[in-house]
């Protein structure tokens, strides 16, 4: 008897699966572009489904996740700005209070092995607890958010579609948010078309690319444009005196080091650096040319020249900027599937 | 399809097998009594005095006990399985103070446990962080969100000696050694010899009660002298290791009652 129950339930499962496949026409599942490295995220414990992705998206744009229902993840991570807080050096949170850092892009996170500017969070699933419970970001408790969601008529059904149960729990909420964020893959910039052999760089872009490979790629490693390492780029500490990764490891060698940010969608993600101190790309590049502060642990790469830094002439900067603009991915920042108003059929 | 049938059979077989390999077990209750010197502590306004002569109150006292290992008089060790070896001792919650375990019969003469949560569990998938380790629930105030990791030991209260404007002192000690690049590791292993005050005799249908005293005053002078005036707030900083050395010295065996 037992055997038949098992067999028939397996059958039902398979049929259910087969049916679901037909419905996913609007939802493009996660794929790794051929020229990208292997992903870091643990998909084996959180497989992306259309239901999970859609629930995650709903949560991402829902200000119910904040104490006064004023702020959603999308408030500081705006899709049209590659999920950064456009125009804000330090992101604004509840009642206009400032966070301590510039909000980074939510982009290609499946390839990240640590999160935040200091890498303090090692698992994407655990990341949202930080903004949700931070008093100046969303000021909530996970418990209370779950309680609020339980009172919303639509969420039961969304959790059911995502996880096969109406039960709303903190860990499911977090897994769903991960599913949405993992789907934010940017790989349709001009650079990508060139990689795929569909188009070519202009001569200026090509010249910029060559300079980039020589002077920047050691840290902003293509095709993700980050090597996920932490480096001290000689940015003069501001009055916030943010010690960066030192706070996490308590090792002196990590003093003022920050995660190498990806340079994809760079035009959309201004202002720049962990505290958003530079409002233009030109200013960011000029930093490398003339403003690297000589601290004991600045990255050895900057010591290749007598005066620490990376010399860039005006011409080189222009060429670099021309190349960096080929990393802008319009289809990513305007992707309706990732925007607030998309919903499945 | 065939594979599924085979799989189904296999899983049925497995479940039968488990019941066959049955070892007789009994209960063990480790009871933690949090003291200040020889006096049981009371949360709230009661004043205590530390070795630096500072008076202080205790408002919150919580710590993780994990990775329990007990050793028989024969030297044979029993390692409490991972799925049942994490406990949050919370002075404000009486039922949390007496972790209960099911262990194989025998005469046990020593006990060891970790104060804290090991690096492996600190980096486990969310789905395996249930009960006292659920950062979205019970562990919410014993978890650093910005430096993903558990707070192993938390003691908070007020003291006239505090330099904080609100006269509070707060020690939140965590750090498990780091995920990718190393940092300090504040987990500590405590070993307790039971043979002086009574071995734990475990037999089926019965429970052995091991009473452990934790002298909270030693947080201030177990190995290193820590004064509230010098360090009113100790969290993820280098001197947290001093507090960890101190919490490794809190525990002593008071008695064993074998039912």
């Amino acid at each position: 008897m037992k055997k038949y129950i098992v067999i028939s339930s397996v059958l039902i499962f398979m049929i259910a699966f087969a049916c679901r496949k037909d419905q996913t026409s609007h939802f493009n599942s996660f794929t790794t572009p051929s020229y990208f490295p292997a992903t870091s995220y643990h998909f084996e414990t959180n497989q992306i489904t259309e239901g999970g992705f859609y629930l995650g998206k709903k949560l991402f744009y829902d200000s119910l996740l904040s104490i006064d229902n004023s702020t959603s993840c999308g408030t500081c991570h705006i899709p049209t700005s590659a999920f950064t807080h456009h125009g804000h050096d330090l992101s604004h949170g509840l009642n206009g209070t400032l966070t301590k850092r510039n909000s980074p892009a939510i982009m290609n996170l499946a390839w990240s092995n640590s999160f935040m500017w200091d890498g303090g969070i090692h698992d994407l699933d655990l990341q949202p607890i930080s903004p949700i419970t931070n008093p100046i970001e969303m000021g909530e408790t996970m418990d209370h958010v779950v309680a609020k969601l339980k009172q919303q008529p639509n969420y039961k059904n969304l959790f059911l579609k995502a996880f096969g149960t109406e039960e709303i729990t903190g860990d499911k909420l977090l897994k769903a948010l991960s599913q949405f964020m993992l789907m934010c893959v940017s790989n349709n910039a001009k650079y990508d078309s060139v990689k795929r052999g569909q188009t070519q760089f202009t001569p200026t872009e090509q010249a910029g690319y060559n300079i980039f490979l020589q002077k920047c790629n050691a840290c902003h490693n293509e095709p993700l444009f980050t090597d996920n390492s932490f480096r001290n780029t000689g940015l003069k500490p501001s009055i916030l005196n943010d010690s960066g990764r030192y706070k996490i490891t308590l090792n002196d060698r990590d003093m003022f080091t920050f995660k190498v940010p990806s340079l994809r969608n760079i035009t959309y993600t201004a202002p720049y650096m962990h505290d958003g101190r530079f409002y233009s790309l030109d200013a960011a590049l000029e930093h490398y040319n003339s403003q690297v502060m000589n601290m004991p642990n600045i990255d050895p790469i900057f010591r290749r020249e007598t005066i620490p830094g990376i010399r860039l002439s005006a011409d080189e900067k222009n060429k670099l900027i021309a190349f960096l603009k080929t990393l802008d991915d319009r289809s990513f920042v305007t992707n309706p599937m990732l925007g607030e108003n998309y919903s499945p059929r | 399809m065939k594979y599924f049938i085979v799989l189904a059979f296999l899983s049925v077989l497995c479940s039968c097998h488990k019941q066959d390999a049955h070892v007789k077990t009994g209960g063990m209750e480790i009871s933690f009594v949090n003291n200040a010197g020889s006096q049981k502590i009371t949360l709230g306004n009661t004043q205590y005095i530390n070795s630096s002569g500072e008076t202080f109150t205790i408002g919150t006292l919580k710590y993780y006990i994990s990775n329990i290992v007990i050793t028989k008089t024969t030297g044979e060790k029993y390692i409490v399985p991972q799925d049942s070896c994490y406990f949050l001792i919370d002075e404000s919650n009486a039922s949390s103070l007496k972790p209960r375990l099911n262990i194989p019969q025998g005469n046990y003469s020593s006990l060891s446990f970790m104060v804290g949560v090991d690096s492996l569990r600190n980096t486990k998938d969310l789905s395996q962080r249930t009960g006292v380790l659920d950062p979205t629930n019970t562990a919410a105030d014993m978890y650093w969100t910005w430096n993903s990791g558990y707070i192993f030991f938390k003691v908070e209260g007020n003291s006239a000696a505090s330099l904080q404007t609100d006269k509070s002192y707060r020690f939140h000690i965590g750090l498990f050694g780091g995920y990718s690049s190393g940092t300090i590791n504040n987990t500590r292993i405590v070993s307790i010899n039971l043979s002086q005050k009574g071995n734990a005799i475990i037999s089926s249908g019965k429970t052995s009660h091991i009473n452990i005293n934790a002298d909270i005053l030693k947080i201030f002078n177990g190995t290193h002298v820590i004064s509230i005036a010098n360090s009113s707030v100790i969290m993820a900083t280098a001197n947290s290791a001093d507090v960890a050395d101190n919490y490794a010295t809190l525990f002593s065996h008071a008695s064993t009652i074998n039912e």
Side-chain angles (χ1 to χ4, degrees):
Chain A
M1 189 59 216
K2 232 184 196 167
K3 200 169 74 186
Y4 288 108
I5 295 175
V6 174
I7 294 171
S8 51
S9 51
V10 166
L11 262 174
I12 290 167
F13 218 73
M14 288 172 66
I15 293 166
F17 250 104
C19 292
R20 294 201 65 229
K21 264 196 186 139
D22 295 341
Q23 288 171 5
T24 56
S25 51
H26 280 233
F27 168 77
N28 300 315
S29 54
F30 184 91
T31 45
T32 296
S34 59
Y35 51 98
F36 273 32
T39 51
S40 303
Y41 185 76
H42 48 86
F43 287 102
E44 68 282 4
T45 58
N46 190 20
Q47 209 170 1
I48 299 179
T49 61
E50 183 176 24
F53 163 79
Y54 182 60
L55 169 62
K57 192 165 91 84
K58 202 78 186 152
L59 292 164
F60 192 88
Y61 293 111
D62 197 337
S63 50
L64 211 68
L65 268 60
S66 65
I67 184 75
D68 57 0
N69 302 336
S70 67
T71 310
S72 74
C73 311
T75 308
C76 298
H77 300 286
I78 307 165
T80 50
S81 303
F83 295 94
T84 63
H85 205 177
H86 183 73
H88 291 81
D89 45 2
L90 305 175
S91 292
H92 290 235
L94 297 173
N95 304 322
T97 39
L98 290 174
T99 60
K100 292 212 168 61
R101 292 183 183 152
N102 180 250
S103 73
I106 306 287
M107 163 178 81
N108 299 344
L109 293 184
W111 289 270
S112 283
N113 51 18
S114 71
F115 305 89
M116 313 308 246
W117 281 102
D118 55 21
I121 299 177
H122 67 263
D123 185 344
L124 184 60
D125 293 358
L126 297 166
Q127 195 283 337
I129 309 176
S130 173
I132 292 173
T133 61
N134 187 326
I136 58 175
E137 291 184 45
M138 301 170 94
E140 262 293 2
T141 65
M142 292 299 296
D143 256 3
H144 191 236
V145 167
V146 168
K148 284 201 285 188
L149 292 179
K150 281 181 176 163
Q151 280 163 14
Q152 298 292 313
N154 51 340
Y155 269 107
K156 268 199 188 122
N157 195 27
L158 291 171
F159 273 82
L160 179 68
K161 281 192 181 142
F163 298 109
T165 156
E166 287 191 349
E167 195 199 5
I168 298 178
T169 59
D171 71 316
K172 292 200 188 78
L173 178 159
L174 294 170
K175 295 260 179 195
L177 277 171
S178 286
Q179 292 196 25
F180 169 66
M181 292 193 282
L182 290 162
M183 288 296 292
C184 298
V185 176
S186 174
N187 70 327
N188 274 314
K190 178 171 184 187
Y191 164 86
D192 298 285
S193 306
V194 173
K195 282 278 135 176
R196 290 192 289 256
Q198 293 157 337
T199 183
Q200 281 179 343
F201 286 133
T202 65
T204 318
E205 289 164 355
Q206 182 65 48
Y209 182 41
N210 295 343
I211 300 168
F212 183 87
L213 290 177
Q214 199 198 333
K215 300 195 167 177
C216 321
N217 194 55
C219 301
H220 299 284
N221 189 15
E222 63 171 344
L224 293 163
F225 295 91
T226 170
D227 64 352
N228 289 318
S229 66
F230 301 88
R231 317 262 190 156
N232 181 335
T233 53
L235 287 166
K236 190 167 186 275
S238 75
I239 40 164
L240 291 170
N241 201 34
D242 189 338
S243 57
R245 187 147 178 83
Y246 172 82
K247 268 210 327 210
I248 304 301
T249 65
L250 305 175
N251 288 329
D252 289 340
R253 68 178 147 80
D254 294 325
M255 189 54 93
F256 303 123
T257 65
F258 291 88
K259 180 144 183 199
V260 177
S262 171
L263 301 180
R264 282 180 172 271
N265 294 303
I266 195 75
T267 334
Y268 306 116
T269 63
Y272 305 112
M273 304 302 178
H274 67 270
D275 52 6
R277 66 177 68 186
F278 299 130
Y279 277 80
S280 72
L281 260 182
D282 199 61
L285 297 199
E286 188 51 34
H287 164 75
Y288 290 104
N289 183 42
S290 65
Q291 287 161 28
V292 171
M293 193 173 132
N294 195 353
M295 287 185 257
N297 69 328
I298 52 166
D299 202 89
I301 290 177
F302 300 120
R303 294 204 190 278
R304 289 179 189 165
E305 315 212 21
T306 336
I307 300 168
I310 301 174
R311 296 293 92 76
L312 297 168
S313 67
D315 179 52
E316 284 177 311
K317 279 198 285 180
N318 286 338
K319 287 172 174 155
L320 266 175
I321 290 174
F323 165 68
L324 291 176
K325 290 198 165 150
T326 72
L327 302 178
D328 288 345
D329 181 350
R330 242 198 97 67
S331 77
F332 175 66
V333 298
T334 58
N335 185 347
M337 196 181 89
L338 303 175
E340 185 168 0
N341 297 320
Y342 159 88
S343 59
R345 284 178 302 141
Chain B
M1 193 64 226
K2 252 185 200 155
Y3 291 109
F4 284 110
I5 299 172
V6 173
L7 264 177
F9 265 120
L10 265 176
S11 59
V12 171
L13 271 175
C14 269
S15 61
C16 292
H17 186 77
K18 250 189 197 152
Q19 277 158 7
D20 287 346
H22 190 81
V23 183
K24 276 200 175 158
T25 60
M28 183 167 109
E29 186 185 80
I30 311 173
S31 174
F32 288 87
V33 180
N34 295 313
N35 290 331
S38 56
Q39 171 193 4
K40 195 182 169 325
I41 67 162
T42 315
L43 296 183
N45 297 326
T46 312
Q47 301 276 343
Y48 304 101
I49 300 180
N50 68 16
S51 63
S52 305
E54 300 164 324
T55 57
F56 65 97
T57 64
I58 302 173
T60 303
L61 175 66
K62 287 181 167 196
Y63 50 90
Y64 279 107
I65 295 296
S66 69
N67 293 283
I68 300 168
V69 179
I70 44 172
T71 310
K72 284 185 183 166
T73 48
T74 59
E76 192 188 329
K77 284 189 194 310
Y78 177 71
I79 301 170
V80 178
Q82 277 289 308
D83 59 6
S84 53
C85 81
Y86 294 86
F87 298 95
L88 178 58
I89 307 295
D90 175 357
E91 181 62 22
S92 72
N93 173 6
S95 66
S96 77
L97 302 175
K98 299 180 175 186
R100 283 187 76 97
L101 301 164
N102 232 9
I103 56 179
Q105 293 196 131
N107 183 353
Y108 292 90
S109 57
S110 76
L111 161 73
S112 80
F113 53 80
M114 177 182 280
V115 183
V117 178
D118 54 286
S119 60
L120 205 63
R121 188 60 54 161
N122 252 301
T123 53
K124 272 263 151 70
D125 189 73
L126 191 58
S127 54
Q128 288 172 54
R129 297 165 180 249
T130 51
V132 298
L133 294 173
D134 184 350
T136 73
N137 197 292
T138 316
D141 65 342
M142 290 298 277
Y143 182 79
W144 280 320
T145 63
W146 55 275
N147 186 1
S148 4
Y150 294 96
I151 297 171
F152 306 154
F153 195 103
K154 184 181 216 175
V155 57
E156 293 178 343
N158 295 318
S159 171
S162 167
L163 297 183
Q164 302 294 108
T165 41
D166 63 356
K167 292 291 161 199
S168 69
Y169 75 93
R170 283 175 295 153
F171 298 169
H172 297 183
I173 313 301
L175 299 179
F176 58 88
Y179 180 68
S180 49
S181 51
T183 182
I184 46 182
N185 185 340
N186 284 329
T187 58
R188 290 289 182 276
I189 303 282
V190 173
S191 295
I192 290 176
N193 181 352
L194 302 175
S195 61
Q196 305 292 316
K197 303 269 170 77
N199 286 357
I201 319 269
I202 308 292
S203 52
S204 118
K206 300 209 167 135
T207 301
S208 174
H209 304 263
I210 302 175
N211 296 310
I212 302 288
N213 283 342
D215 182 359
I216 302 306
L217 290 185
K218 288 191 178 156
I219 276 292
F220 298 98
N221 72 337
T223 304
H224 312 273
V225 174
I226 293 168
S227 83
I228 296 174
N230 284 334
S231 323
S232 310
V233 177
I234 306 181
M235 294 189 185
T237 45
N239 58 345
S240 63
D242 291 350
V243 185
D245 290 342
N246 286 358
Y247 61 56
T249 68
L250 303 186
F251 305 93
S252 62
H253 184 205
S255 62
T256 301
I257 299 164
N258 294 308
E259 260 176 17

